[in-house]
């Protein structure tokens, strides 16, 4: 009891020391009804933030948490879908930015779930974003989380019959990651890609950043690697990155096929490639 109280006080103290967020989009916190995407994969996110629940008989996997104020929303969504929040056993993220791991510390504390992250994003996660190569150096933007397991490219996460492969797609952050796995329903099996699309922040210098000298090289690698991925359905960290709201409306019936869209995926990568080429012209 004393330890729990002390931890709560410590978390509050750290939270009070967080610096103001450099950018906030109101659609990151706007509610969106949870729903079943395909098989045992569910959307539990906000209007624009992709937060995903994978359920298994041995507990559940949560990918991303959105901003800090998403915690109660996620809990409500999990409950509405008929699952227990306390049964979350594994926490993953596409990358360690405050709009995707803002509620991670709170959810980890409440569920005792294991935090797994690409090794190259572990330090940023552990200092609350203060060492981020673009937004760092001015204090933490989210509550720090110490990882329980560090992942390398193509490592697998296994729970309750699920096998998820982590794909290292660096650039947006050094440890940015996508996840590839199978889910199945009563009719078929779907290979799902939760893609960390390699968007480039305005402040990024592709010639190299002090905290990330190889950023330009990593973006080039990721753009090429992602072109060759094979999947049936794809999703991403932000709803806006995969035309989510054109594919699903609140209350729509179960329809995994809505998320096929290979054409949309290829077009999104082509656009990001063009952005990369444009940024190269100003790299120095």
């Amino acid at each position: 009891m004393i330890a729990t109280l002390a931890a709560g006080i410590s978390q509050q103290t750290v939270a009070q020391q967080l610096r103001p967020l450099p950018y906030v989009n109101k659609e990151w916190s706007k509610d969106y009804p949870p729903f079943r995407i395909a098989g045992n994969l569910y959307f539990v996110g906000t209007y624009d933030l992709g937060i995903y629940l994978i359920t298994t008989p041995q507990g559940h996997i949560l990918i991303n948490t959105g901003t800090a104020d998403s915690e109660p929303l996620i809990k409500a969504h999990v409950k509405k879908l008929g699952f227990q929040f306390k049964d979350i056993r594994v926490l993953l993220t596409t990358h360690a930015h405050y709009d995707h791991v803002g509620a991670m510390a709170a959810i980890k504390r409440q569920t005792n779930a294991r935090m797994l992250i690409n090794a190259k994003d572990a330090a940023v996660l552990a200092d609350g974003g203060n060492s981020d190569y673009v937004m760092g150096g001015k204090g933490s933007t989210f509550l720090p989380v110490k990882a329980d397991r560090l992942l390398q490219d193509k490592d697998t996460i296994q729970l309750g019959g699920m096998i998820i492969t982590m794909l290292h797609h660096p650039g947006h952050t050094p440890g940015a990651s996508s996840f590839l796995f199978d889910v199945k329903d009563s009719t078929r099996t779907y290979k799902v890609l939760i893609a960390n699309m390699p968007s480039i922040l305005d402040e990024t210098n592709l010639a190299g950043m002090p905290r990330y000298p190889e950023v330009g090289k990593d973006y080039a690698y990721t753009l090429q690697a992602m072109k060759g991925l094979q999947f049936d359905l794809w999703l991403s960290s932000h709803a806006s990155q995969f035309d989510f709201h054109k594919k699903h409306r609140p209350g729509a019936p179960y329809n995994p096929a809505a998320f096929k869209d290979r054409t949309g995926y290829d077009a999104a990568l082509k656009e990001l490639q063009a952005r990369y080429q444009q940024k190269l012209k100003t790299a120095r």
Side-chain angles (χ1 to χ4, degrees):
M1 179 67 178
I2 294 176
T4 301
L5 179 61
I9 294 173
S10 176
Q11 292 282 352
Q12 292 174 12
T13 301
V14 175
Q16 291 169 356
Q17 297 173 348
L18 296 180
R19 73 180 179 94
L21 299 179
Y23 174 77
V24 176
N25 183 333
K26 63 181 181 180
E27 293 185 345
W28 290 352
S29 298
K30 183 179 177 181
D31 199 0
Y32 191 89
F35 68 97
R36 183 187 182 200
I37 298 171
N40 57 321
L41 171 65
Y42 298 83
F43 185 88
V44 293
T46 68
Y47 188 84
D48 184 60
L49 296 180
I51 305 171
Y52 304 100
L53 182 73
I54 301 172
T55 62
T56 87
Q58 277 72 54
H60 313 317
I61 300 164
L62 185 69
I63 301 178
N64 293 336
T65 68
T67 52
D69 59 1
S70 298
E71 175 208 342
L73 181 148
I74 294 170
K75 291 175 71 174
H77 285 180
V78 172
K79 181 179 180 180
K80 186 174 182 179
L81 290 168
F83 302 106
Q84 295 292 319
F85 181 75
K86 64 180 178 60
D87 289 338
I88 294 173
R89 296 286 180 265
V90 174
L91 299 170
L92 300 172
T93 188
T94 48
H95 59 276
H97 277 166
Y98 62 87
D99 52 332
H100 304 291
V101 298
M104 199 68 80
I107 292 176
K108 188 179 194 306
R109 186 176 70 253
Q110 294 175 54
T111 63
N112 291 316
R114 298 180 70 237
M115 179 75 225
L116 283 60
I117 194 168
N118 185 286
K120 292 192 174 182
D121 264 9
V124 177
L125 185 71
D127 64 25
N130 190 44
S131 59
D132 183 85
Y133 78 93
V134 170
M135 297 179 286
K138 300 176 183 178
S140 298
T141 52
F142 57 87
L143 292 178
V145 182
K146 183 179 179 180
D148 298 294
R149 177 186 167 193
L150 304 184
L151 301 171
Q152 306 295 332
D153 187 33
K154 296 183 176 61
D155 275 354
T156 60
I157 301 100
Q158 300 186 40
L159 180 70
M162 286 296 302
I163 302 176
I164 301 173
T165 301
M166 187 278 289
L167 302 175
H168 187 202
H169 289 151
H172 192 65
T173 66
S177 303
S178 301
F179 301 99
L180 194 63
F181 53 92
D182 291 341
V183 297
K184 61 182 179 180
D185 57 21
S186 60
T187 61
R188 61 162 293 182
T189 297
Y190 302 90
K191 184 172 290 294
V192 179
L193 172 68
I194 295 180
N196 190 91
M197 302 304 283
S199 57
I200 306 175
L201 298 176
D202 291 341
E203 302 87 345
T204 301
N205 180 2
L206 293 177
M209 303 285 286
R211 289 188 176 94
Y212 194 2
E214 66 275 23
V215 59
K217 179 181 177 182
D218 279 358
Y219 265 113
Y221 162 79
T222 292
L223 285 162
Q224 185 60 38
M226 293 188 76
K227 292 177 184 177
L229 297 180
Q230 299 300 314
F231 52 84
D232 298 311
L233 315 176
W234 80 283
L235 310 153
S236 193
S237 305
H238 287 270
S240 53
Q241 293 176 327
F242 64 107
D243 288 332
F244 172 79
H245 296 289
K246 293 181 181 179
K247 297 171 180 175
H248 184 273
R249 303 286 185 184
Y254 178 68
N255 182 25
F259 299 97
K260 283 188 174 181
D261 193 22
R262 179 75 206 204
T263 300
Y265 176 82
D266 291 341
L269 283 181
K270 184 176 181 180
E271 185 176 324
L272 289 167
Q273 181 73 52
R275 164 76 168 160
Y276 172 79
Q277 296 297 337
Q278 185 64 34
K279 286 285 286 183
L280 273 180
K281 295 178 182 179
T282 60
R284 63 182 186 279

